[in-house]
Amino acid sequence: MTSSMANNPLSTGRESNIGQMLIEMGKLTPEDAERVHRVQKEQVIRFGDAAQRLGLITENDVQQVLAYQFDYPYIHPGQGNYPPELVAAYHPFSPMAEALRAVRSQLMQRWFGAGYKGLAIASMDSGDGASLFTANLAVVFAQLGQRTLLIDANLRKPRQHKIFGLPGKQGLSNILAGRAGLDAISTTNAFADLAILPAGTIPPNPQELLNRASFGELLDNLAERADIILYDVPAVAKAADVFAVAARTGGVL
């Protein structure tokens, strides 16, 4: 059995798959692939490395293929209508994205692993970037394969509908006012495990809406549909809304 595995290394099929995927993506022609195979055998290197040495593909091309092969969704700059600051979507192998994954790991161990479903994300003051941080964190949870719901509970200056390019006409406030249903939740084409509930119409009484019993009932309903629920809330220095959300979720980051 050991001899059989030695004669048929596991990497062989994987390298062949990478070459075929690069052809299907239009990155290589069949003739290019033959050239790469020759260099690969001559220099005893990986298919992707050989293709790069020949100048046929880039490191980004290799990462895109590997991401597809291992079911790790991300998008390339220029694709989609998201802001470039959504680094988890556009630059998942960058140091910033790695830092986000480190935060995700800590939360999985210390919070969600303890049985909590939701977490409010707040900054001390407006302009600190909490909304973008929350959006990026939602993406890395979705990349993990967790059914992730991002709720924009900032009913004063909502951002998530702009970040994800959503209409934002119907959302959380409309549901709490009894004027919309769960169809206000939007899904994303780029990330199958990510859904967003925009803030909706900006109401005159945001804190009162978040303190209604209907908010707790809504969250109980949503908890059955998602593994991870993140809440974007106003800055602590601007409003006490965060405490109303934290009382429902159990905590705030």
Side-chain angles (χ1 to χ4, degrees):
M1 184 173 181
T2 304
S3 174
S4 173
M5 288 186 68
N7 294 330
N8 297 280
L10 295 175
S11 61
T12 302
R14 181 168 167 244
E15 298 289 0
S16 175
N17 287 339
I18 289 177
Q20 185 59 41
M21 278 190 257
L22 286 167
I23 292 174
E24 292 173 357
M25 292 167 60
K27 303 291 184 180
L28 295 178
T29 66
E31 293 75 19
D32 289 334
E34 287 299 323
R35 290 175 58 200
V36 174
H37 277 302
R38 286 196 294 269
V39 172
Q40 180 188 9
K41 291 179 181 178
E42 291 170 1
Q43 301 184 19
V44 194
I45 56 178
R46 294 179 300 180
F47 185 93
D49 292 335
Q52 287 185 75
R53 289 190 183 184
L54 288 171
L56 297 171
I57 62 172
T58 66
E59 176 63 23
N60 283 337
D61 294 328
V62 175
Q63 296 292 357
Q64 183 181 12
V65 170
L66 291 174
Y68 179 80
Q69 193 176 40
F70 289 96
D71 194 25
Y72 186 73
Y74 75 100
I75 53 180
H76 284 270
Q79 294 179 328
N81 58 348
Y82 310 127
E85 292 85 2
L86 201 60
V87 293
Y90 285 120
H91 304 286
F93 311 109
S94 67
M96 291 179 69
E98 191 61 35
L100 285 161
R101 285 191 286 272
V103 174
R104 179 188 67 189
S105 296
Q106 291 292 324
L107 290 175
M108 288 297 291
Q109 293 176 27
R110 298 168 181 264
W111 187 254
F112 297 111
Y116 294 101
K117 272 286 185 82
L119 183 65
I121 312 292
S123 63
M124 288 305 299
D125 208 343
S126 57
D128 288 346
S131 292
L132 272 171
F133 174 78
T134 307
N136 276 289
L137 196 58
V139 170
V140 295
F141 271 112
Q143 289 171 331
L144 190 62
Q146 298 288 317
R147 295 177 303 163
T148 305
L149 174 61
L150 171 55
I151 297 179
D152 196 341
N154 187 340
L155 303 184
R156 299 172 187 269
K157 290 185 178 180
R159 287 282 315 279
Q160 297 303 332
H161 67 288
K162 294 180 180 178
I163 293 173
F164 288 97
L166 304 173
K169 294 180 179 179
Q170 297 284 300
L172 176 61
S173 65
N174 306 94
I175 294 177
L176 296 179
R179 296 182 178 277
L182 294 183
D183 55 351
I185 298 175
S186 298
T187 56
T188 58
N189 293 328
F191 304 98
D193 290 309
L194 176 61
I196 299 103
L197 175 57
T201 305
I202 297 178
N205 57 337
Q207 194 170 143
E208 286 75 16
L209 281 179
L210 295 174
N211 277 300
R212 285 184 180 179
S214 58
F215 185 42
E217 295 169 1
L218 171 65
L219 301 192
D220 290 340
N221 189 346
L222 294 176
E224 299 177 0
R225 301 164 178 258
D227 301 314
I228 304 291
I229 304 178
L230 301 178
Y231 301 82
D232 185 10
V233 296
V236 176
K238 297 298 182 182
D241 300 14
V242 58
F243 303 115
V245 178
R248 304 288 188 183
T249 63
V252 57
L253 173 65

